[in-house]
Amino acid sequence: MKFNILTLFPDMFSAVNTSMVGRAVKNGLIDFNVVNIRDFSTDKHKKTDDMPFGGGQGMLLMAQPLWGAMDSVGAQNKRVIYMSPRGKLMDQNLIEDLAQEEEIVILCGHYEGVDQRVLDYWNCEEVSIGDYVLTGGELASMVMIDAVARMIPGVLASREAAVDESVYSGLLEYPQYTQPRSFEGLDVPEVLLNGNHQLIHLWKLEQALRLTRARRPDLFQNFLSRRDELTRPERKVLDKVISEGSEDEQGK
Ligand code: 6GU
């Protein structure tokens, strides 16, 4: 999969050549084309921004350099994402949808935004990574790229499952422990050491359910609609968690 990234800060993308994503680039699974928007400015001072018509805060990215940058990556025939705090919220569904594409274009906004004609003409899908404001779209785009990359077959080692089809999918992860069994007087829960896999599974499910209800009641509600996919012992655990209520739970 090829990511064409349009940005005023191309140097920031050196970060994607390290870690897991960097390995995927070396293996030829993903490819980056980082384009400096400024290179396409026809202005003698390489200007890329100007004041908004009608007044308002700050500066906008101008249409002219963006037109050149879009043209240079063949954006006409590709899915174009504009990273913006006013976009639709990114979630795993969008990520998995994007991972099906062979090539996408990502526009990283700056200043107070971009000339609307760019977004309209180039059919940009506006995407936000959360309800907070960043100084630019670059970090947000790297979050998106990382999440998309791990869904591409071969990027993750096979032992790190990208799609969780287990009963735990849609729940927050249960607490996990590794060696040693006792550390600074803190012990690993006994049930995990006794080798009873059914008991262990039900314990993990209970923990995941409690944590999800405390921290993400929205996800917990969605999970309730999957009740009939559960085995009888799993259903018993769910009913117990429901009946005990959410008093004094660590939503931390
Ligand atoms: Cl995509 N861009 C910016 N500038 N701020 C954000 C964002 C994106 N998502 C959340 N905040």
Side-chain angles (χ1 to χ4, degrees):
M1 177 170 182
K2 182 171 175 181
F3 297 94
N4 296 282
I5 301 158
L6 313 190
T7 174
L8 285 172
F9 298 92
D11 293 346
M12 285 183 73
F13 289 87
S14 57
V16 293
N17 287 315
T18 65
S19 111
M20 314 279 293
V21 176
R23 192 179 68 190
V25 174
K26 286 187 196 83
N27 295 341
L29 295 167
I30 58 183
D31 187 17
F32 288 108
N33 176 30
V34 181
V35 172
N36 189 343
I37 296 164
R38 194 172 302 280
D39 291 345
F40 292 87
S41 173
T42 53
D43 175 76
K44 62 178 182 291
H45 301 112
K46 295 278 168 199
K47 184 176 147 86
T48 56
D49 64 318
D50 210 326
M51 294 179 332
F53 280 121
Q57 288 275 308
M59 303 288 269
L60 298 183
L61 274 170
M62 299 162 75
Q64 183 278 317
L66 285 171
W67 231 258
M70 287 285 188
D71 245 336
S72 80
V73 298
Q76 198 69 257
N77 327 303
K78 298 180 180 86
R79 204 156 160 191
V80 182
I81 308 291
Y82 169 50
M83 305 309 301
S84 153
R86 74 171 197 189
K88 74 171 172 205
L89 265 190
M90 183 167 96
D91 63 10
Q92 192 63 26
N93 283 331
L94 174 64
I95 294 299
E96 286 171 27
D97 188 42
L98 287 174
Q100 308 293 317
E101 303 284 337
E102 205 145 293
E103 186 169 351
I104 64 169
V105 178
I106 306 172
L107 170 59
C108 300
H110 252 274
Y111 312 112
E112 297 306 315
V114 314
D115 190 306
Q116 184 64 35
R117 290 169 291 190
V118 174
L119 305 181
D120 294 343
Y121 181 85
W122 296 94
N123 235 311
C124 299
E125 274 176 70
E126 294 190 51
V127 173
S128 164
I129 65 163
D131 292 334
Y132 40 81
V133 182
L134 306 171
T135 58
E138 283 77 11
L139 287 171
S141 76
M142 285 186 253
V143 168
M144 185 170 81
I145 289 163
D146 189 282
V148 170
R150 68 184 284 286
M151 299 312 299
I152 296 171
V155 169
L156 292 188
S158 52
R159 44 186 294 205
E160 310 152 319
V163 265
D164 186 0
E165 285 170 352
S166 74
V167 61
Y168 303 105
S169 90
L171 296 176
L172 301 184
E173 197 158 38
Y174 48 81
Q176 298 185 92
Y177 303 85
T178 185
Q179 297 288 358
R181 290 176 175 220
S182 185
F183 181 73
E184 300 274 333
L186 303 170
D187 295 337
V188 174
E190 191 62 37
V191 60
L192 298 177
L193 307 174
N194 69 12
N196 183 332
H197 296 293
Q198 170 72 347
L199 262 187
I200 291 172
H201 164 63
L202 294 175
W203 180 86
K204 288 176 174 177
L205 180 62
E206 180 174 341
Q207 299 296 315
L209 287 168
R210 289 190 187 289
L211 208 62
T212 305
R213 190 187 43 198
R215 293 181 187 174
R216 292 292 304 277
D218 56 323
L219 297 183
F220 187 74
Q221 279 307 316
N222 289 343
F223 187 82
L224 295 183
S225 67
R226 292 178 36 208
R227 191 171 191 283
D228 49 352
E229 295 168 30
L230 303 182
T231 64
R232 275 174 53 105
E234 288 169 347
R235 247 177 272 160
K236 267 186 76 176
V237 169
L238 177 60
D239 292 341
K240 177 172 132 192
V241 169
I242 291 169
S243 72
E244 284 174 359
S246 55
E247 288 304 311
D248 62 43
E249 244 167 339
Q250 356 107 10
K252 305 178 275 198

